[in-house]
Amino acid sequence: MATRRSARPAATRGGEAFSALSISNEVHAAKAAATARFLQPRPVGAFSAREAMNPAAEPDPAENIVAIGVGEKMSKGISTGMPAVKIFVRVKFADSEISDADRIPAEINGVPVDVEQIGTVRALKAPVMPNPRAKIRPARPGSSVGFLSPNFRMAGTFGAVAKKGQKLFVLSNNHVLADENRLPIGSPIVQPGPLDGGKPTDGIAKLTAFVTLNPAAPNKVDAAIAQVNSAALVNRSILFIGPPQGTKRATIDMTVQKFGRTTSFRVGRVVSIDTDVRVAYDIGELLFQDQIVIRGLNGEQFSAAGDSGSLILERSTNAAVGLLFAGSSTHTIGNHIADVLTALGVKLA
Amino acid sequence: MATEREIRSLKKRVSGLLMKNRAVSAVGVERDEKGHYVLTVHLVDDAPDLPAELEGHAVRYVRRGRYEKQ
């Protein structure tokens, strides 16, 4: 049998006392008894989270108790150093509002009970990621996009909506919209890309301009634009991330994010802003100068094949810093966004 | 300890030469584990004949594989 004395530690000095708290088997046994008495599973349909949010919830323990554990007895917010059965309720009612039948006992099996209000406990819902490979109208940056070819099916990422005067464009890479210099101006661009089921009837834009990829000299960007067939066909808000907030120069150690066709949402850290890198294309190995290098965070790659064209944004501000176009099994390469926009003569919408 | 500007300047001078080595996939300025700016050379494979220092600055070699369009 537990007693207050046996449960009380030698010293009670606020937080220090709690760290020295010894929870005896008697306290755990009392907690088990309280759980059996007050916290039994309820039939499906008997509980409504919406109703439980109502502050006029009843003091009936069957309705009001949401959790039971062991911990330290508090008295008017002050640590007592005394182990207790902790009973967590949606609403802590004044003693005068509780009938004798609904009153939670001050002790269970001789162990003190401490009642604490924590509100309704609900399962936390993971954010729902949009499917970038689906047909999306209006088409949004972050989604699958590509060109039609009689020989193969491909897909890359719609990076951003760009503008020049009143005209709106899909911004992505040359290799995503222009097949590495090979497509004629005016070629249709479809969303989703053909690899994701895009058909000729899924056209949203026509190839307007690209920066020529040069196998014989250093390159700065892999970029192209396609004018949209109708302004109503696109929306500037990037899937999951939202609209870009202007542009900014990347800096070493900046935390960045992107949403792409293959790996969707990822976060990374800039490790370099001026790397010269050789990248393998169908037309040969191309040298790019002064590129951004990014390493993925949270143990994940920042990108994979199909993410090319994604806009890279500073995580804290949503300012665009780069255009993703290449990578290895561990690192991602991006063009500086200012170089991309200058080369194409456009701004972000 | 070199400044970022000094290592960037070094990179401009030596990048072309280093990139001629087929085992090298990239050359840039990064921070090492101590936070110091350092010339960083990305390797596809082992490259036995690369220098440990250039113009008095240590060179950091990292194996990051081959870069491809994505």
Side-chain angles (χ1 to χ4, degrees):
Chain A
M1 186 177 78
T3 65
R4 286 188 185 179
R5 180 180 297 277
S6 64
R8 186 192 297 268
T12 56
R13 292 170 294 167
E16 289 180 46
F18 186 68
S19 65
L21 198 64
S22 153
I23 307 294
S24 67
N25 289 339
E26 287 84 354
V27 178
H28 286 292
K31 176 234 164 187
T35 299
R37 180 171 165 189
F38 296 119
L39 208 58
Q40 292 307 299
R42 303 175 64 186
V44 175
F47 173 78
S48 159
R50 184 170 294 176
E51 287 174 19
M53 293 297 288
N54 182 355
E58 297 177 17
D60 176 359
E63 299 290 334
N64 202 26
I65 294 175
V66 291
I68 296 175
V70 295
E72 183 181 18
K73 171 88 173 166
M74 305 292 286
S75 178
K76 295 178 181 173
I78 298 170
S79 303
T80 66
M82 188 183 299
V85 174
K86 301 283 286 190
I87 295 187
F88 300 99
V89 295
R90 292 193 183 95
V91 178
K92 190 168 182 178
F93 292 90
D95 197 54
S96 59
E97 298 175 295
I98 308 172
S99 68
D100 287 345
D102 290 339
R103 183 166 287 110
I104 296 169
E107 291 185 355
I108 294 176
N109 296 349
V111 176
V113 168
D114 190 40
V115 179
E116 187 173 333
Q117 175 175 307
I118 62 168
T120 298
V121 178
R122 284 163 292 159
L124 293 176
K125 201 171 173 182
V128 177
M129 286 287 171
N131 176 8
R133 303 183 196 190
K135 179 174 178 174
I136 299 169
R137 294 293 181 274
R140 290 174 59 186
S143 65
S144 168
V145 74
F147 58 82
L148 299 161
S149 166
N151 305 317
F152 59 91
R153 292 180 301 155
M154 56 72 66
T157 298
F158 174 179
V161 177
K163 66 180 180 182
K164 187 177 190 178
Q166 297 299 310
K167 295 177 181 174
L168 296 180
F169 304 90
V170 169
L171 171 65
S172 188
N173 297 134
N174 175 323
H175 79 265
V176 172
L177 300 182
D179 192 19
E180 301 181 25
N181 311 332
R182 290 181 285 227
L183 287 187
I185 298 301
S187 297
I189 301 302
V190 296
Q191 195 290 314
L195 189 60
D196 298 319
K199 303 178 295 294
T201 51
D202 294 322
I204 60 166
K206 290 185 176 61
L207 179 64
T208 307
F210 56 83
V211 180
T212 302
L213 292 169
N214 191 341
N219 297 271
K220 279 281 186 186
V221 299
D222 176 351
I225 50 172
Q227 186 175 348
V228 301
N229 298 337
S230 154
L233 276 174
V234 295
N235 181 310
R236 65 189 284 265
S237 182
I238 302 168
L239 294 173
F240 191 70
I241 289 175
Q245 302 296 323
T247 63
K248 191 173 188 176
R249 184 161 175 80
T251 55
I252 289 179
D253 289 336
M254 176 186 281
T255 301
V256 292
Q257 60 185 348
K258 74 98 183 65
F259 196 98
R261 174 262 174 197
T262 303
T263 61
S264 63
F265 180 72
R266 292 287 163 91
V267 178
R269 177 166 292 125
V270 173
V271 299
S272 179
I273 56 170
D274 60 355
T275 288
D276 302 338
V277 57
R278 195 165 22 235
V279 178
Y281 281 81
D282 296 344
I283 59 173
E285 281 203 325
L286 274 60
L287 176 65
F288 286 81
Q289 288 185 327
D290 297 327
Q291 301 299 303
I292 302 169
V293 181
I294 297 164
R295 180 173 56 81
L297 295 178
N298 308 318
E300 296 179 314
Q301 280 179 249
F302 188 69
S303 65
D307 285 330
S308 269
S310 302
L311 198 65
I312 302 165
L313 306 106
E314 184 180 33
R315 185 155 164 72
S316 60
T317 65
N318 262 8
V321 300
L323 189 68
L324 193 158
F325 75 104
S328 71
S329 57
T330 60
H331 288 68
T332 294
I333 311 293
N335 309 138
H336 287 280
I337 193 65
D339 292 341
V340 170
L341 299 177
T342 299
L344 292 167
V346 294
K347 295 179 178 177
L348 292 182
Chain B
M1 187 173 61
T3 64
E4 182 178 11
R5 178 178 289 187
E6 287 171 331
I7 302 301
R8 278 193 182 179
S9 175
L10 172 67
K11 187 217 106 180
K12 285 186 192 301
R13 292 193 296 276
V14 303
S15 176
L17 185 64
L18 289 165
M19 291 294 285
K20 286 181 179 171
N21 189 318
R22 300 306 298 174
V24 173
S25 57
V27 178
V29 178
E30 297 186 11
R31 294 173 98 158
D32 64 14
E33 294 71 16
K34 294 177 180 172
H36 301 155
Y37 291 102
V38 59
L39 186 74
T40 300
V41 177
H42 306 206
L43 299 176
V44 178
D45 279 315
D46 289 336
D49 296 327
L50 290 166
E53 284 190 0
L54 281 168
E55 299 181 15
H57 297 286
V59 181
R60 175 175 173 244
Y61 293 97
V62 293
R63 186 183 278 223
R64 291 187 183 158
R66 176 179 149 100
Y67 290 104
E68 298 179 329
K69 65 173 182 174
Q70 290 193 328

